[in-house]
Amino acid sequence: MDYSQKITLLATITVNLNVPELQSREQLNEWIKSDAARIHFIDHLKPTSFDDLEVVKAASEADFVS
């Protein structure tokens, strides 16, 4: 049986992304907010990208899925 439950995760993620040019951390934080960057970022997420993953909050209710 599967349930759908809302959880909040704290994660450290390491990925190699193709970026427009060499940028500072501050510039990259601004760039990652664009739709194109978010799509590009999500496409690169893989299980091995997650160096550390921890559930910090879980809903007290869950919906039955199947």
Side-chain angles (χ1 to χ4, degrees):
M1 293 186 286
D2 290 324
Y3 292 85
S4 175
Q5 184 176 5
K6 184 175 182 177
I7 61 174
T8 301
L9 301 171
L10 176 63
T12 300
I13 304 168
T14 302
V15 293
N16 290 323
L17 293 176
N18 294 328
V19 296
E21 60 188 62
L22 179 62
Q23 298 184 54
S24 68
R25 182 176 167 185
E26 292 78 15
Q27 290 170 311
L28 288 169
N29 279 328
E30 285 301 314
W31 174 77
I32 204 74
K33 294 176 185 175
S34 73
D35 289 340
R38 285 174 182 243
I39 291 168
H40 185 67
F41 180 70
I42 289 168
D43 285 347
H44 283 79
L45 293 179
K46 298 174 179 63
T48 57
S49 302
F50 294 86
D51 298 325
D52 191 16
L53 193 60
E54 178 184 352
V55 174
V56 293
K57 184 178 178 183
S60 58
E61 297 179 5
D63 295 325
F64 180 68
V65 177
S66 63

